[in-house]
Amino acid sequence: MTLPSQSSHSANPADSEILLRQQLVASFHDERVHAAFEKIFAGIPSNLRNAKPAGQTFTLWRLLVHLRLCVVDFLDACRIPGYVEPPVPEGFWPDENAAADDAAWEEDLAGYHAAMREFEALLLDPSTDLFSPIPDSDGRTILRQALGCLDHNAYHLGQALLLRRLLGIWSD
């Protein structure tokens, strides 16, 4: 994804808000900051998706499910007044001994991408109020949810990249 040009910024607050929305969405894909989700989760041999390298508590599939569930959580917190988060950890992680077959892997990849498209569409929608507290929340805003999702994704993408390195399936 190409980042919007800084030269497109003007003193007009509406233009500044459009630029903010574009920058938020672009940040989810900015490979100058961290490896992209698409690259980290591409080309993983099916026999290594459930592999747990020595000393690690996660598999690539468990991280994928966690990322998917958390994007849905960030999104639902924006869309559903009075949203109540699932219990931790069971609402955000598959069982540590669970494993995915090819169908589950593809379903979780598709689910992650669908949730991110919905979240990005919400952020880019000019009718979305990024700054006012979400109704019946603890004062969170959609902007805060977006920044939290960005930070959370980056953290776990780093873990997934580390797992790929430990499994010998990552080249810089």
Side-chain angles (χ1 to χ4, degrees):
M1 172 177 270
T2 305
L3 293 176
S5 166
Q6 292 297 328
S7 63
S8 65
H9 177 71
S10 73
N12 180 341
D15 291 343
S16 295
E17 187 172 323
I18 290 168
L19 180 61
L20 172 63
R21 291 171 187 280
Q22 292 170 341
Q23 290 284 333
L24 281 171
V25 170
S27 294
F28 284 106
H29 307 278
D30 188 354
E31 291 189 67
R32 294 174 298 177
V33 178
H34 55 76
F37 175 93
E38 292 76 12
K39 183 175 181 182
I40 291 173
F41 282 96
I44 298 170
S46 53
N47 66 319
L48 295 177
R49 294 172 182 162
N50 299 301
K52 195 180 293 184
Q56 300 302 305
T57 57
F58 304 115
T59 66
L60 288 163
W61 175 69
R62 285 189 72 225
L63 285 172
L64 172 60
V65 171
H66 179 67
L67 283 162
R68 177 183 59 78
L69 292 172
C70 288
V71 170
V72 170
D73 178 64
F74 281 112
L75 180 59
D76 285 349
C78 294
R79 298 187 296 192
I80 302 170
Y83 174 73
V84 177
E85 294 176 353
V88 177
E90 58 273 9
F92 293 97
W93 290 97
D95 182 84
E96 72 176 280
N97 297 312
D101 58 16
D102 289 345
W105 176 264
E106 293 302 325
E107 185 177 314
D108 286 316
L109 275 175
Y112 172 85
H113 286 299
M116 281 305 302
R117 281 191 302 274
E118 285 185 57
F119 201 27
E120 291 172 358
L122 177 73
L123 296 173
L124 290 171
D125 183 344
S127 69
T128 299
D129 183 348
L130 298 175
F131 306 104
S132 295
I134 298 166
D136 301 320
S137 74
D138 60 357
R140 287 175 287 175
T141 65
I142 291 176
L143 177 60
R144 179 175 166 206
Q145 290 297 106
L147 294 171
C149 185
L150 180 64
D151 183 54
H152 181 268
N153 283 6
Y155 177 84
H156 289 296
L157 289 174
Q159 286 182 310
L161 191 143
L162 173 64
L163 287 181
R164 287 196 63 158
R165 282 187 173 140
L166 293 171
L167 293 167
I169 56 170
W170 182 262
S171 61
D172 290 317

